[in-house]
Amino acid sequence: DAINTTIINFNNEKMQITWAARELFHNENVSFSYTFDEGKHKVWKPCPTYLLDQDYNSGCLFKTEGPTLAISIRNSNGSEELFSKKLKSDFYIKPNPPENVTFFWKEDTVTVSCNKPERAVKCLRLELQYKSTFDKEWQSRTSRCCHVGDQGFDSRKCYSFRVRLKRLVPSCNVVHYSSDWEAETFWMNGTLLDSCDDDRTPQSNTVILLSCLLAVLLMMLILLILLCKQQRLQMSVMPAIPDPKYIFADLLNDHNGNFQEWLDRTDHVVPQTKLEYEEPECITEAESQQEDEKNSDKQGPLEKIFAFSGTAENSDLKVAQIACLIPASNTIASFAGFHILMDDDMYVTL
């Protein structure tokens, strides 16, 4: 009884018994034998398969043949028994993982079921564990074999599920043995996925990309606002001074700074100021002739007097009827049947 052993009955099919060889037997290689017989005439069988720890026998693996088991550990030559024990193999059963696990989804409720084992179903419980991508710890639910369910699942989340079978203690087992976990599965809104990472990664990438774009746009907007404020402040405090090299670009580039040459070349560009001169309304010879004809019909022919340029006495009497005629050089002007040759320096006053 002073030797601690670990006894596991794998689904009532194989027995595994291990011990701490190095600590218990101090580098001595021991032998192991067992029997499922009862009564005085027992047939001891040597261990068919030893488990080794640094080349020392530390356990034995053999087939389960009955509910009652007796074991014996002896020294290397079998002359001395170092440890013996009698036990019920049914109290050390570790069940196999559940088989043919199915998931049934109805709205926010999930029901998990599996095939019933061939024996000892009353001693088994089906345990369901699940967690979403936002949970750190597993949520656990346990029910009688062979179905278990829970509700409150969010259709927008991806969940990981795993199930196993457990033996009841102490009514069926003396130690807490559970099966290995069935392969983990991933579900979202009743749809089986390969992994929750497939559902989470695109969303996280999209969120990161949108966050980066938003941050960049926000930074650009802040920079534009600061730049506009800086330009306004600079213009109000230090107004910009025009650079003369742009105003006199042709003087420096085309004339190499020759001011006189630049003036000669740009005289035609300088706008000429024209004095506005409004000439008095001229009374043409045709209009005066028409008036004379009208007067001649009523009063008879009148004498027509013509005064030429150079006569000072008539200039004050006919100011309103002056016609300023500036004919071209060597132009012939006609007045009431007279033909006069005009040059540049001649003026005619009517």
PDB file of all heavy atoms in Angstrom, residues 49-82:
ATOM      1  N   THR A  49       3.444  -6.229 -22.235  1.00  0.00           N
ATOM      2  CA  THR A  49       4.054  -4.998 -22.776  1.00  0.00           C
ATOM      3  C   THR A  49       4.428  -4.094 -21.610  1.00  0.00           C
ATOM      4  O   THR A  49       3.552  -3.621 -20.857  1.00  0.00           O
ATOM      5  CB  THR A  49       3.072  -4.247 -23.707  1.00  0.00           C
ATOM      6  OG1 THR A  49       2.640  -5.131 -24.754  1.00  0.00           O
ATOM      7  CG2 THR A  49       3.733  -3.033 -24.320  1.00  0.00           C
ATOM      8  N   TYR A  50       5.728  -3.861 -21.463  1.00  0.00           N
ATOM      9  CA  TYR A  50       6.221  -2.982 -20.408  1.00  0.00           C
ATOM     10  C   TYR A  50       6.300  -1.535 -20.922  1.00  0.00           C
ATOM     11  O   TYR A  50       6.637  -1.285 -22.091  1.00  0.00           O
ATOM     12  CB  TYR A  50       7.600  -3.418 -19.924  1.00  0.00           C
ATOM     13  CG  TYR A  50       7.569  -4.534 -18.908  1.00  0.00           C
ATOM     14  CD1 TYR A  50       7.900  -5.837 -19.275  1.00  0.00           C
ATOM     15  CD2 TYR A  50       7.239  -4.288 -17.586  1.00  0.00           C
ATOM     16  CE1 TYR A  50       7.888  -6.862 -18.350  1.00  0.00           C
ATOM     17  CE2 TYR A  50       7.223  -5.308 -16.646  1.00  0.00           C
ATOM     18  CZ  TYR A  50       7.533  -6.594 -17.034  1.00  0.00           C
ATOM     19  OH  TYR A  50       7.514  -7.604 -16.109  1.00  0.00           O
ATOM     20  N   LEU A  51       6.029  -0.610 -20.025  1.00  0.00           N
ATOM     21  CA  LEU A  51       6.260   0.806 -20.264  1.00  0.00           C
ATOM     22  C   LEU A  51       7.571   1.182 -19.588  1.00  0.00           C
ATOM     23  O   LEU A  51       7.795   0.835 -18.427  1.00  0.00           O
ATOM     24  CB  LEU A  51       5.111   1.643 -19.700  1.00  0.00           C
ATOM     25  CG  LEU A  51       3.710   1.290 -20.239  1.00  0.00           C
ATOM     26  CD1 LEU A  51       2.650   2.139 -19.539  1.00  0.00           C
ATOM     27  CD2 LEU A  51       3.632   1.458 -21.738  1.00  0.00           C
ATOM     28  N   LEU A  52       8.465   1.889 -20.304  1.00  0.00           N
ATOM     29  CA  LEU A  52       9.820   2.147 -19.828  1.00  0.00           C
ATOM     30  C   LEU A  52       9.999   3.602 -19.436  1.00  0.00           C
ATOM     31  O   LEU A  52       9.401   4.506 -20.026  1.00  0.00           O
ATOM     32  CB  LEU A  52      10.833   1.768 -20.905  1.00  0.00           C
ATOM     33  CG  LEU A  52      10.806   0.307 -21.385  1.00  0.00           C
ATOM     34  CD1 LEU A  52      11.856   0.092 -22.473  1.00  0.00           C
ATOM     35  CD2 LEU A  52      11.011  -0.652 -20.219  1.00  0.00           C
ATOM     36  N   ASP A  53      10.846   3.784 -18.434  1.00  0.00           N
ATOM     37  CA  ASP A  53      11.291   5.110 -18.004  1.00  0.00           C
ATOM     38  C   ASP A  53      12.801   5.046 -17.869  1.00  0.00           C
ATOM     39  O   ASP A  53      13.326   4.527 -16.868  1.00  0.00           O
ATOM     40  CB  ASP A  53      10.620   5.499 -16.691  1.00  0.00           C
ATOM     41  CG  ASP A  53      11.054   6.877 -16.199  1.00  0.00           C
ATOM     42  OD1 ASP A  53      11.667   7.626 -17.010  1.00  0.00           O
ATOM     43  OD2 ASP A  53      10.799   7.187 -15.025  1.00  0.00           O
ATOM     44  N   GLN A  54      13.517   5.573 -18.874  1.00  0.00           N
ATOM     45  CA  GLN A  54      14.973   5.511 -18.914  1.00  0.00           C
ATOM     46  C   GLN A  54      15.466   4.060 -18.760  1.00  0.00           C
ATOM     47  O   GLN A  54      16.304   3.743 -17.902  1.00  0.00           O
ATOM     48  CB  GLN A  54      15.583   6.411 -17.839  1.00  0.00           C
ATOM     49  CG  GLN A  54      15.246   7.891 -18.017  1.00  0.00           C
ATOM     50  CD  GLN A  54      15.882   8.769 -16.958  1.00  0.00           C
ATOM     51  OE1 GLN A  54      16.575   8.254 -16.064  1.00  0.00           O
ATOM     52  NE2 GLN A  54      15.690  10.062 -17.054  1.00  0.00           N
ATOM     53  N   ASP A  55      14.903   3.203 -19.590  1.00  0.00           N
ATOM     54  CA  ASP A  55      15.269   1.774 -19.666  1.00  0.00           C
ATOM     55  C   ASP A  55      14.869   0.973 -18.430  1.00  0.00           C
ATOM     56  O   ASP A  55      15.300  -0.182 -18.276  1.00  0.00           O
ATOM     57  CB  ASP A  55      16.777   1.604 -19.911  1.00  0.00           C
ATOM     58  CG  ASP A  55      17.195   2.182 -21.251  1.00  0.00           C
ATOM     59  OD1 ASP A  55      16.346   2.191 -22.178  1.00  0.00           O
ATOM     60  OD2 ASP A  55      18.342   2.632 -21.379  1.00  0.00           O
ATOM     61  N   TYR A  56      14.064   1.557 -17.562  1.00  0.00           N
ATOM     62  CA  TYR A  56      13.562   0.826 -16.391  1.00  0.00           C
ATOM     63  C   TYR A  56      12.066   0.593 -16.547  1.00  0.00           C
ATOM     64  O   TYR A  56      11.336   1.491 -17.011  1.00  0.00           O
ATOM     65  CB  TYR A  56      13.833   1.584 -15.090  1.00  0.00           C
ATOM     66  CG  TYR A  56      15.302   1.609 -14.706  1.00  0.00           C
ATOM     67  CD1 TYR A  56      16.102   2.682 -15.074  1.00  0.00           C
ATOM     68  CD2 TYR A  56      15.849   0.547 -13.981  1.00  0.00           C
ATOM     69  CE1 TYR A  56      17.448   2.701 -14.718  1.00  0.00           C
ATOM     70  CE2 TYR A  56      17.186   0.575 -13.632  1.00  0.00           C
ATOM     71  CZ  TYR A  56      17.994   1.646 -14.011  1.00  0.00           C
ATOM     72  OH  TYR A  56      19.328   1.652 -13.669  1.00  0.00           O
ATOM     73  N   ASN A  57      11.600  -0.601 -16.139  1.00  0.00           N
ATOM     74  CA  ASN A  57      10.183  -0.914 -16.213  1.00  0.00           C
ATOM     75  C   ASN A  57       9.400  -0.012 -15.261  1.00  0.00           C
ATOM     76  O   ASN A  57       9.623  -0.017 -14.051  1.00  0.00           O
ATOM     77  CB  ASN A  57       9.933  -2.377 -15.855  1.00  0.00           C
ATOM     78  CG  ASN A  57      10.593  -3.331 -16.839  1.00  0.00           C
ATOM     79  OD1 ASN A  57      10.820  -2.984 -18.005  1.00  0.00           O
ATOM     80  ND2 ASN A  57      10.902  -4.552 -16.375  1.00  0.00           N
ATOM     81  N   SER A  58       8.470   0.753 -15.839  1.00  0.00           N
ATOM     82  CA  SER A  58       7.692   1.684 -15.011  1.00  0.00           C
ATOM     83  C   SER A  58       6.190   1.472 -15.178  1.00  0.00           C
ATOM     84  O   SER A  58       5.398   2.222 -14.602  1.00  0.00           O
ATOM     85  CB  SER A  58       8.023   3.130 -15.384  1.00  0.00           C
ATOM     86  OG  SER A  58       7.704   3.380 -16.742  1.00  0.00           O
ATOM     87  N   GLY A  59       5.766   0.472 -15.937  1.00  0.00           N
ATOM     88  CA  GLY A  59       4.348   0.239 -16.121  1.00  0.00           C
ATOM     89  C   GLY A  59       4.115  -0.967 -17.004  1.00  0.00           C
ATOM     90  O   GLY A  59       5.036  -1.513 -17.616  1.00  0.00           O
ATOM     91  N   CYS A  60       2.824  -1.378 -17.059  1.00  0.00           N
ATOM     92  CA  CYS A  60       2.451  -2.546 -17.855  1.00  0.00           C
ATOM     93  C   CYS A  60       1.124  -2.274 -18.532  1.00  0.00           C
ATOM     94  O   CYS A  60       0.204  -1.672 -17.928  1.00  0.00           O
ATOM     95  CB  CYS A  60       2.356  -3.783 -16.975  1.00  0.00           C
ATOM     96  SG  CYS A  60       1.961  -5.292 -17.919  1.00  0.00           S
ATOM     97  N   LEU A  61       0.999  -2.708 -19.776  1.00  0.00           N
ATOM     98  CA  LEU A  61      -0.209  -2.563 -20.562  1.00  0.00           C
ATOM     99  C   LEU A  61      -0.684  -3.960 -20.976  1.00  0.00           C
ATOM    100  O   LEU A  61       0.055  -4.711 -21.626  1.00  0.00           O
ATOM    101  CB  LEU A  61       0.055  -1.702 -21.804  1.00  0.00           C
ATOM    102  CG  LEU A  61      -1.145  -1.352 -22.670  1.00  0.00           C
ATOM    103  CD1 LEU A  61      -2.142  -0.489 -21.902  1.00  0.00           C
ATOM    104  CD2 LEU A  61      -0.689  -0.628 -23.937  1.00  0.00           C
ATOM    105  N   PHE A  62      -1.953  -4.304 -20.620  1.00  0.00           N
ATOM    106  CA  PHE A  62      -2.459  -5.638 -20.913  1.00  0.00           C
ATOM    107  C   PHE A  62      -3.969  -5.563 -21.131  1.00  0.00           C
ATOM    108  O   PHE A  62      -4.614  -4.536 -20.840  1.00  0.00           O
ATOM    109  CB  PHE A  62      -2.117  -6.638 -19.794  1.00  0.00           C
ATOM    110  CG  PHE A  62      -2.541  -6.182 -18.432  1.00  0.00           C
ATOM    111  CD1 PHE A  62      -3.749  -6.594 -17.893  1.00  0.00           C
ATOM    112  CD2 PHE A  62      -1.716  -5.355 -17.652  1.00  0.00           C
ATOM    113  CE1 PHE A  62      -4.148  -6.202 -16.635  1.00  0.00           C
ATOM    114  CE2 PHE A  62      -2.108  -4.953 -16.399  1.00  0.00           C
ATOM    115  CZ  PHE A  62      -3.319  -5.366 -15.878  1.00  0.00           C
ATOM    116  N   LYS A  63      -4.571  -6.627 -21.603  1.00  0.00           N
ATOM    117  CA  LYS A  63      -5.975  -6.673 -21.960  1.00  0.00           C
ATOM    118  C   LYS A  63      -6.841  -6.874 -20.721  1.00  0.00           C
ATOM    119  O   LYS A  63      -6.500  -7.640 -19.816  1.00  0.00           O
ATOM    120  CB  LYS A  63      -6.218  -7.808 -22.953  1.00  0.00           C
ATOM    121  CG  LYS A  63      -7.650  -7.892 -23.468  1.00  0.00           C
ATOM    122  CD  LYS A  63      -7.797  -9.025 -24.463  1.00  0.00           C
ATOM    123  CE  LYS A  63      -9.237  -9.120 -24.969  1.00  0.00           C
ATOM    124  NZ  LYS A  63      -9.397 -10.232 -25.946  1.00  0.00           N
ATOM    125  N   THR A  64      -7.991  -6.200 -20.692  1.00  0.00           N
ATOM    126  CA  THR A  64      -8.948  -6.364 -19.599  1.00  0.00           C
ATOM    127  C   THR A  64      -9.742  -7.659 -19.827  1.00  0.00           C
ATOM    128  O   THR A  64     -10.379  -7.822 -20.880  1.00  0.00           O
ATOM    129  CB  THR A  64      -9.899  -5.165 -19.530  1.00  0.00           C
ATOM    130  OG1 THR A  64      -9.141  -3.970 -19.390  1.00  0.00           O
ATOM    131  CG2 THR A  64     -10.866  -5.297 -18.363  1.00  0.00           C
ATOM    132  N   GLU A  65      -9.741  -8.517 -18.805  1.00  0.00           N
ATOM    133  CA  GLU A  65     -10.388  -9.823 -18.965  1.00  0.00           C
ATOM    134  C   GLU A  65     -11.471 -10.098 -17.933  1.00  0.00           C
ATOM    135  O   GLU A  65     -12.126 -11.141 -17.990  1.00  0.00           O
ATOM    136  CB  GLU A  65      -9.337 -10.931 -18.897  1.00  0.00           C
ATOM    137  CG  GLU A  65      -8.292 -10.832 -19.997  1.00  0.00           C
ATOM    138  CD  GLU A  65      -7.191 -11.869 -19.851  1.00  0.00           C
ATOM    139  OE1 GLU A  65      -7.275 -12.670 -18.872  1.00  0.00           O
ATOM    140  OE2 GLU A  65      -6.268 -11.895 -20.676  1.00  0.00           O
ATOM    141  N   GLY A  66     -11.702  -9.180 -17.009  1.00  0.00           N
ATOM    142  CA  GLY A  66     -12.724  -9.415 -16.005  1.00  0.00           C
ATOM    143  C   GLY A  66     -12.857  -8.238 -15.070  1.00  0.00           C
ATOM    144  O   GLY A  66     -12.066  -7.285 -15.100  1.00  0.00           O
ATOM    145  N   PRO A  67     -13.836  -8.318 -14.149  1.00  0.00           N
ATOM    146  CA  PRO A  67     -14.066  -7.195 -13.238  1.00  0.00           C
ATOM    147  C   PRO A  67     -13.130  -7.165 -12.057  1.00  0.00           C
ATOM    148  O   PRO A  67     -12.974  -6.120 -11.410  1.00  0.00           O
ATOM    149  CB  PRO A  67     -15.507  -7.425 -12.773  1.00  0.00           C
ATOM    150  CG  PRO A  67     -15.695  -8.890 -12.869  1.00  0.00           C
ATOM    151  CD  PRO A  67     -14.885  -9.361 -14.021  1.00  0.00           C
ATOM    152  N   THR A  68     -12.495  -8.323 -11.726  1.00  0.00           N
ATOM    153  CA  THR A  68     -11.618  -8.376 -10.558  1.00  0.00           C
ATOM    154  C   THR A  68     -10.194  -8.604 -11.037  1.00  0.00           C
ATOM    155  O   THR A  68      -9.912  -9.517 -11.822  1.00  0.00           O
ATOM    156  CB  THR A  68     -12.027  -9.501  -9.616  1.00  0.00           C
ATOM    157  OG1 THR A  68     -13.399  -9.323  -9.226  1.00  0.00           O
ATOM    158  CG2 THR A  68     -11.162  -9.517  -8.376  1.00  0.00           C
ATOM    159  N   LEU A  69      -9.279  -7.780 -10.511  1.00  0.00           N
ATOM    160  CA  LEU A  69      -7.887  -7.831 -10.947  1.00  0.00           C
ATOM    161  C   LEU A  69      -6.975  -7.905  -9.738  1.00  0.00           C
ATOM    162  O   LEU A  69      -7.173  -7.190  -8.747  1.00  0.00           O
ATOM    163  CB  LEU A  69      -7.540  -6.593 -11.781  1.00  0.00           C
ATOM    164  CG  LEU A  69      -6.080  -6.416 -12.184  1.00  0.00           C
ATOM    165  CD1 LEU A  69      -5.629  -7.530 -13.133  1.00  0.00           C
ATOM    166  CD2 LEU A  69      -5.855  -5.051 -12.815  1.00  0.00           C
ATOM    167  N   ALA A  70      -5.957  -8.762  -9.858  1.00  0.00           N
ATOM    168  CA  ALA A  70      -4.902  -8.846  -8.837  1.00  0.00           C
ATOM    169  C   ALA A  70      -3.572  -8.618  -9.546  1.00  0.00           C
ATOM    170  O   ALA A  70      -3.313  -9.167 -10.628  1.00  0.00           O
ATOM    171  CB  ALA A  70      -4.929 -10.196  -8.143  1.00  0.00           C
ATOM    172  N   ILE A  71      -2.703  -7.776  -8.961  1.00  0.00           N
ATOM    173  CA  ILE A  71      -1.409  -7.462  -9.550  1.00  0.00           C
ATOM    174  C   ILE A  71      -0.304  -7.766  -8.541  1.00  0.00           C
ATOM    175  O   ILE A  71      -0.532  -7.763  -7.313  1.00  0.00           O
ATOM    176  CB  ILE A  71      -1.338  -5.994 -10.003  1.00  0.00           C
ATOM    177  CG1 ILE A  71      -1.529  -5.062  -8.792  1.00  0.00           C
ATOM    178  CG2 ILE A  71      -2.362  -5.711 -11.099  1.00  0.00           C
ATOM    179  CD1 ILE A  71      -1.340  -3.588  -9.144  1.00  0.00           C
ATOM    180  N   SER A  72       0.903  -8.016  -9.051  1.00  0.00           N
ATOM    181  CA  SER A  72       2.053  -8.314  -8.194  1.00  0.00           C
ATOM    182  C   SER A  72       3.304  -7.745  -8.853  1.00  0.00           C
ATOM    183  O   SER A  72       3.527  -7.938 -10.057  1.00  0.00           O
ATOM    184  CB  SER A  72       2.202  -9.816  -7.996  1.00  0.00           C
ATOM    185  OG  SER A  72       3.374 -10.119  -7.261  1.00  0.00           O
ATOM    186  N   ILE A  73       4.117  -7.037  -8.058  1.00  0.00           N
ATOM    187  CA  ILE A  73       5.392  -6.491  -8.518  1.00  0.00           C
ATOM    188  C   ILE A  73       6.498  -7.182  -7.725  1.00  0.00           C
ATOM    189  O   ILE A  73       6.512  -7.155  -6.486  1.00  0.00           O
ATOM    190  CB  ILE A  73       5.453  -4.959  -8.318  1.00  0.00           C
ATOM    191  CG1 ILE A  73       4.351  -4.273  -9.143  1.00  0.00           C
ATOM    192  CG2 ILE A  73       6.814  -4.427  -8.721  1.00  0.00           C
ATOM    193  CD1 ILE A  73       4.295  -2.775  -8.950  1.00  0.00           C
ATOM    194  N   ARG A  74       7.441  -7.814  -8.425  1.00  0.00           N
ATOM    195  CA  ARG A  74       8.531  -8.548  -7.789  1.00  0.00           C
ATOM    196  C   ARG A  74       9.871  -7.983  -8.250  1.00  0.00           C
ATOM    197  O   ARG A  74       9.931  -7.163  -9.167  1.00  0.00           O
ATOM    198  CB  ARG A  74       8.440 -10.040  -8.141  1.00  0.00           C
ATOM    199  CG  ARG A  74       7.187 -10.718  -7.575  1.00  0.00           C
ATOM    200  CD  ARG A  74       7.094 -12.155  -7.998  1.00  0.00           C
ATOM    201  NE  ARG A  74       5.963 -12.827  -7.340  1.00  0.00           N
ATOM    202  CZ  ARG A  74       6.052 -13.462  -6.184  1.00  0.00           C
ATOM    203  NH1 ARG A  74       7.217 -13.555  -5.550  1.00  0.00           N
ATOM    204  NH2 ARG A  74       4.986 -14.039  -5.645  1.00  0.00           N
ATOM    205  N   ASN A  75      10.938  -8.482  -7.618  1.00  0.00           N
ATOM    206  CA  ASN A  75      12.277  -8.061  -8.019  1.00  0.00           C
ATOM    207  C   ASN A  75      12.607  -8.645  -9.392  1.00  0.00           C
ATOM    208  O   ASN A  75      11.809  -9.379  -9.995  1.00  0.00           O
ATOM    209  CB  ASN A  75      13.311  -8.454  -6.964  1.00  0.00           C
ATOM    210  CG  ASN A  75      13.309  -9.940  -6.692  1.00  0.00           C
ATOM    211  OD1 ASN A  75      12.581 -10.705  -7.344  1.00  0.00           O
ATOM    212  ND2 ASN A  75      14.121 -10.379  -5.738  1.00  0.00           N
ATOM    213  N   SER A  76      13.774  -8.335  -9.878  1.00  0.00           N
ATOM    214  CA  SER A  76      14.121  -8.685 -11.253  1.00  0.00           C
ATOM    215  C   SER A  76      14.087 -10.192 -11.517  1.00  0.00           C
ATOM    216  O   SER A  76      13.667 -10.641 -12.582  1.00  0.00           O
ATOM    217  CB  SER A  76      15.492  -8.127 -11.605  1.00  0.00           C
ATOM    218  OG  SER A  76      16.469  -8.621 -10.702  1.00  0.00           O
ATOM    219  N   ASN A  77      14.524 -11.031 -10.571  1.00  0.00           N
ATOM    220  CA  ASN A  77      14.510 -12.486 -10.788  1.00  0.00           C
ATOM    221  C   ASN A  77      13.227 -13.134 -10.319  1.00  0.00           C
ATOM    222  O   ASN A  77      13.049 -14.361 -10.433  1.00  0.00           O
ATOM    223  CB  ASN A  77      15.714 -13.142 -10.116  1.00  0.00           C
ATOM    224  CG  ASN A  77      15.791 -12.827  -8.629  1.00  0.00           C
ATOM    225  OD1 ASN A  77      14.815 -12.370  -8.022  1.00  0.00           O
ATOM    226  ND2 ASN A  77      16.967 -13.053  -8.033  1.00  0.00           N
ATOM    227  N   GLY A  78      12.260 -12.344  -9.723  1.00  0.00           N
ATOM    228  CA  GLY A  78      10.963 -12.865  -9.314  1.00  0.00           C
ATOM    229  C   GLY A  78      10.965 -13.599  -7.987  1.00  0.00           C
ATOM    230  O   GLY A  78       9.946 -14.181  -7.603  1.00  0.00           O
ATOM    231  N   SER A  79      12.053 -13.569  -7.258  1.00  0.00           N
ATOM    232  CA  SER A  79      12.140 -14.318  -6.003  1.00  0.00           C
ATOM    233  C   SER A  79      11.467 -13.595  -4.842  1.00  0.00           C
ATOM    234  O   SER A  79      11.084 -14.214  -3.850  1.00  0.00           O
ATOM    235  CB  SER A  79      13.612 -14.573  -5.660  1.00  0.00           C
ATOM    236  OG  SER A  79      14.303 -13.342  -5.525  1.00  0.00           O
ATOM    237  N   GLU A  80      11.307 -12.303  -4.939  1.00  0.00           N
ATOM    238  CA  GLU A  80      10.756 -11.529  -3.812  1.00  0.00           C
ATOM    239  C   GLU A  80       9.643 -10.631  -4.335  1.00  0.00           C
ATOM    240  O   GLU A  80       9.810  -9.925  -5.338  1.00  0.00           O
ATOM    241  CB  GLU A  80      11.848 -10.688  -3.166  1.00  0.00           C
ATOM    242  CG  GLU A  80      11.352  -9.884  -1.972  1.00  0.00           C
ATOM    243  CD  GLU A  80      12.452  -9.008  -1.404  1.00  0.00           C
ATOM    244  OE1 GLU A  80      13.596  -9.075  -1.906  1.00  0.00           O
ATOM    245  OE2 GLU A  80      12.163  -8.253  -0.453  1.00  0.00           O
ATOM    246  N   GLU A  81       8.505 -10.664  -3.622  1.00  0.00           N
ATOM    247  CA  GLU A  81       7.381  -9.793  -3.993  1.00  0.00           C
ATOM    248  C   GLU A  81       7.536  -8.455  -3.284  1.00  0.00           C
ATOM    249  O   GLU A  81       7.612  -8.393  -2.054  1.00  0.00           O
ATOM    250  CB  GLU A  81       6.053 -10.452  -3.621  1.00  0.00           C
ATOM    251  CG  GLU A  81       4.847  -9.668  -4.122  1.00  0.00           C
ATOM    252  CD  GLU A  81       3.534 -10.363  -3.813  1.00  0.00           C
ATOM    253  OE1 GLU A  81       3.243 -10.547  -2.611  1.00  0.00           O
ATOM    254  OE2 GLU A  81       2.826 -10.752  -4.757  1.00  0.00           O
ATOM    255  N   LEU A  82       7.563  -7.365  -4.076  1.00  0.00           N
ATOM    256  CA  LEU A  82       7.718  -6.026  -3.523  1.00  0.00           C
ATOM    257  C   LEU A  82       6.390  -5.316  -3.302  1.00  0.00           C
ATOM    258  O   LEU A  82       6.276  -4.452  -2.425  1.00  0.00           O
ATOM    259  CB  LEU A  82       8.594  -5.185  -4.458  1.00  0.00           C
ATOM    260  CG  LEU A  82       9.983  -5.769  -4.775  1.00  0.00           C
ATOM    261  CD1 LEU A  82      10.706  -4.881  -5.765  1.00  0.00           C
ATOM    262  CD2 LEU A  82      10.794  -5.938  -3.501  1.00  0.00           C
TER     263      LEU A  82
END
